[in-house]
Amino acid sequence: MATKQPGVEPDQTPESLDECRRCALWKDATQAVPGAGPRHAPMMIVGEQPGDQEDLQGEPFVGPAGAMLDRALVEAGVARQEVYVTNAVKHFKWEPRGKRRMHKTPAQREIDACRYWLEQETGDVGPKVIVALGATALKSVLRNSKATLQATMGHAVEHEGHAIVATYHPSFALRAPDPETRERVYKAIVDALREAHRLVSRHHKAR
């Protein structure tokens, strides 16, 4: 039988993120990072997890990836203030590399533990379209640990009353080894945001 990890309560139902002990990531994070945006935004953007700057500032998408997302939103004709932005995992998972804290991909058990919060946000906001940035976000949104970007990108997927649009996370473009790959990934992000915007507009017209 698996030994329970100290300080971890996967069945906990906390009322606030600061109280959350559903996985162990809270131990090494500065703080939990909640989502931000209008209560009833028609579009929700879900990333993987807070990065170094998000962990320090307590707000989502305020680091380099956030700056690229902002640029892509402008190019796609989407107003950031009309979008709810959040992450599949609310605490920064990292490993030391010299004096820097380097991103480490969340494990499936951490994604599963934090879905408690994403489902609350989705219920409160009620978006018509959810943009999943990266594989971790897609797995969480679809509640499917085997979901892949390759199988989902390029077309919207209906899931529990929401249209799901999947694309790369901006950090993937930032880590690209050459300008051509970076531009290709960035263009895919812009295209996905345009598609999400089109789906939102179509929903409004159908009302």
Side-chain angles (χ1 to χ4, degrees):
M1 190 170 82
T3 303
K4 182 180 176 182
Q5 193 173 353
V8 176
E9 302 174 48
D11 297 324
Q12 182 197 32
T13 55
E15 294 186 6
S16 73
L17 271 171
D18 291 337
E19 298 173 359
C20 190
R21 302 293 182 266
R22 291 174 61 84
C23 78
L25 293 185
W26 65 273
K27 293 181 177 181
D28 295 322
T30 304
Q31 58 194 318
V33 180
R39 171 89 186 224
H40 298 297
M43 186 190 303
M44 175 186 279
I45 296 177
V46 181
E48 181 186 87
Q49 65 168 339
D52 182 74
Q53 287 302 307
E54 289 81 6
D55 174 74
L56 295 173
Q57 297 183 42
E59 296 180 21
F61 287 97
V62 292
M68 178 173 280
L69 177 62
D70 283 346
R71 183 159 62 94
L73 283 166
V74 170
E75 196 165 330
V78 180
R80 166 85 181 246
Q81 63 268 25
E82 296 177 4
V83 175
Y84 188 92
V85 293
T86 191
N87 285 293
V89 173
K90 310 302 185 191
H91 287 97
F92 180 33
K93 183 175 184 178
W94 59 277
E95 57 187 359
R97 192 171 302 169
K99 294 183 178 180
R100 300 179 64 190
R101 301 188 302 171
M102 301 303 293
H103 158 277
K104 191 173 183 182
T105 302
Q108 187 61 46
R109 66 181 179 277
E110 293 154 353
I111 298 170
D112 292 343
C114 219
R115 192 178 294 116
Y116 172 86
W117 295 109
L118 184 62
E119 289 179 353
Q120 281 194 25
E121 288 176 306
T122 304
D124 289 344
V125 176
K128 303 307 173 188
V129 182
I130 300 176
V131 180
L133 301 177
T136 297
L138 183 63
K139 290 174 182 178
S140 183
V141 168
L142 294 180
R143 289 193 286 187
N144 179 0
S145 63
K146 301 190 185 317
T148 65
L149 283 182
Q150 287 75 17
T152 315
M153 280 179 61
H155 61 278
V157 176
E158 289 294 326
H159 179 73
E160 297 182 349
H162 311 288
I164 313 300
V165 177
T167 189
Y168 301 107
H169 194 287
S171 62
F172 183 68
L174 293 173
R175 295 194 302 267
D178 58 83
E180 292 79 12
T181 302
R182 181 171 179 154
E183 187 56 35
R184 177 178 59 81
V185 172
Y186 175 74
K187 182 180 182 301
I189 294 170
V190 173
D191 288 345
L193 293 172
R194 280 192 180 126
E195 173 63 7
H197 185 48
R198 185 186 69 81
L199 291 170
V200 167
S201 299
R202 190 171 72 181
H203 172 78
H204 286 321
K205 289 176 182 175
R207 290 170 63 181

